[in-house]
Amino acid sequence: LRCQLDLEEANREGELREYSTRPAVRQRFGDAFAVKMGFGMHVGWAVEGAIGSSLKIDATYLSPHVEMSDRLEAASKVFGTPLNISHWLRNLASPSITGVTRPVARLKADGVSSPFDVFALDVTDRVSNFGRQFCDAEDSKGDFVDWAHADVLKVQASLYPLFRSTWKQGYEAFLKGDWALARKMFAEAARLKPGDGPAAYLLSVM
């Protein structure tokens, strides 16, 4: 989450802002260009190894769990969500994470025996210097896992109060195959949160 917000800040007023205003960059990508990244978070084991040649060697990580993180990151482009989390990681996190995440997909993938849920953490408000108040100080490490921390809640400060319950109702209807109710609730969610990627995508495929 901190990486995502730092990236947004760099695009607005940092080094990436200077880069995006260069004539060559604007000519190729347009005036609205900004560096974007999606993040996929999962939990599991990985094997670290060095891959390369005698001229250049890079560390890489291999495992089914690394592939799962890659799938979650790819889903950020599909759903327009900056940060996707697997249900396995969400279940291991502090209980307060349920208040800042929402389910956006139930997927099946090669090598995974059962469908898995993808949860998104919405970022609606840009917060400068996010996390440094409670991540960097040695005497406040305990706050890092508190998803109800005031600094975390600030990134969703402008999210309409009814959005979560509306989305939940629509998503549950979607899983049950009640397309009429799902469309109605997703359309309302899109009204409450204009430009919402998951709502737009699910409405487009139903």
Side-chain angles (χ1 to χ4, degrees):
L1 180 57
R2 176 170 167 176
C3 288
Q4 178 66 36
L5 291 167
D6 283 350
L7 178 63
E8 293 288 346
E9 187 173 358
N11 274 314
R12 288 198 316 271
E13 53 193 41
E15 295 179 358
L16 294 180
R17 173 64 179 171
E18 180 183 352
Y19 174 77
S20 65
T21 58
R22 293 181 180 179
V25 174
R26 287 194 169 188
Q27 182 178 358
R28 182 171 181 180
F29 299 106
D31 294 339
F33 171 77
V35 176
K36 296 180 180 180
M37 290 181 64
F39 297 85
M41 298 186 65
H42 184 52
V43 60
W45 57 266
V47 176
E48 179 183 5
I51 294 180
S53 68
S54 59
L55 300 177
K56 185 176 187 294
I57 297 178
D58 290 322
T60 189
Y61 300 88
L62 304 172
S63 82
H65 305 291
V66 173
E67 292 181 13
M68 179 61 71
S69 293
D70 186 58
R71 291 187 181 107
L72 292 166
E73 184 276 328
S76 71
K77 300 179 179 67
V78 176
F79 295 105
T81 47
L83 180 58
N84 290 330
I85 303 170
S86 71
H87 74 259
W88 292 285
L89 177 58
R90 184 176 182 265
N91 290 342
L92 291 174
S94 300
S96 51
I97 198 173
T98 60
V100 294
T101 56
R102 58 169 166 145
V104 295
R106 178 167 292 174
L107 306 177
K108 294 187 70 175
D110 293 339
V112 182
S113 59
S114 60
F116 62 94
D117 293 314
V118 179
F119 289 82
L121 198 160
D122 293 296
V123 178
T124 58
D125 296 79
R126 310 308 175 194
V127 180
S128 297
N129 297 318
F130 172 83
R132 290 173 176 79
Q133 303 92 313
F134 58 95
C135 294
D136 293 342
E138 288 294 329
D139 60 350
S140 60
K141 288 182 178 179
D143 289 342
F144 182 72
V145 296
D146 183 8
W147 292 95
H149 193 287
D151 286 344
V152 176
L153 298 180
K154 284 178 183 177
V155 305
Q156 298 181 347
S158 64
L159 197 62
Y160 199 82
L162 287 177
F163 175 79
R164 290 196 184 284
S165 59
T166 301
W167 178 266
K168 182 177 184 231
Q169 188 176 356
Y171 189 76
E172 290 175 349
F174 174 75
L175 293 181
K176 294 176 182 177
D178 187 347
W179 307 124
L181 179 59
R183 285 193 190 96
K184 179 181 177 182
M185 292 296 101
F186 287 152
E188 177 63 9
R191 186 188 70 81
L192 296 172
K193 186 174 180 283
D196 183 61
Y201 177 78
L202 292 177
L203 284 170
S204 73
V205 299
M206 281 195 296

